[in-house]
């Protein structure tokens, strides 16, 4: 499966932004994959921000984004989203979407990353 992340940009603190991750490929089933959003700041380790089960019924969030970010998916369109509200400067990072065939134990497929900059 190929993953394409989009939707990043420059926003002011307190703003909202929605990232999209579109899955494509010749032979895959989107519902085989749990989906996750990670972020990385230069010099720091990649951080799991949120993940969602194949059905969309279970979502988990990092403490730093809980209550502000929402992960969702549409299995009919092979898309996952990350809705980000009340953005803070510390949310500035490159955001990656990823797919897991093992319920998040290992992330086999990665998108290319989209930059989110939160600054006044």
């Amino acid at each position: 499966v190929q993953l394409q992340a989009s939707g990043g940009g420059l926003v002011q603190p307190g703003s909202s932004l929605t990232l999209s991750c579109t899955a494509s490929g010749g032979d895959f089933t989107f519902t085989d994959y749990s989906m996750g959003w990670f972020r990385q700041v230069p010099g720091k380790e990649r951080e799991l921000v949120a993940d969602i089960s194949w059905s969309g019924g279970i979502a988990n969030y990092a403490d730093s984004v809980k209550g502000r970010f929402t992960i969702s998916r549409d299995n009919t369109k092979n898309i996952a989203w990350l809705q980000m509200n009340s953005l803070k400067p510390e949310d500035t990072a490159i955001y990656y979407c990823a797919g897991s065939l093992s319920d998040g134990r290992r992330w086999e497929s990665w998108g290319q990353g989209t930059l989110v900059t939160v600054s006044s």
Side-chain angles (χ1 to χ4, degrees):
V1 63
Q2 286 82 50
L3 301 177
Q4 179 76 34
S6 61
L10 171 62
V11 296
Q12 293 188 338
S15 298
S16 297
L17 201 61
T18 300
L19 305 182
S20 300
C21 178
T22 302
S24 63
D27 184 18
F28 80 100
T29 302
F30 190 56
T31 51
D32 285 342
Y33 291 84
S34 300
M35 297 299 296
W37 285 97
F38 291 74
R39 66 186 181 187
Q40 189 168 25
V41 176
K44 294 190 176 181
E45 289 190 1
R46 191 171 294 188
E47 171 191 22
L48 176 60
V49 173
D51 63 77
I52 189 167
S53 63
W54 69 271
S55 67
I58 299 173
N60 301 293
Y61 299 91
D63 287 344
S64 57
V65 306
K66 204 170 291 185
R68 299 188 297 123
F69 290 12
T70 302
I71 189 171
S72 60
R73 64 189 293 163
D74 185 336
N75 289 337
T76 67
K77 298 179 180 178
N78 295 347
I79 298 178
W81 296 278
L82 184 68
Q83 171 71 41
M84 305 184 292
N85 298 327
S86 303
L87 282 162
K88 305 175 181 180
E90 51 264 43
D91 294 318
T92 295
I94 299 174
Y95 284 72
Y96 300 88
C97 63
S100 170
L101 292 169
S102 54
D103 294 326
R105 289 188 295 275
R106 197 163 62 99
W107 297 90
E108 293 89 359
S109 301
W110 290 86
Q112 85 287 3
T114 184
L115 176 62
V116 174
T117 304
V118 185
S119 174
S120 56

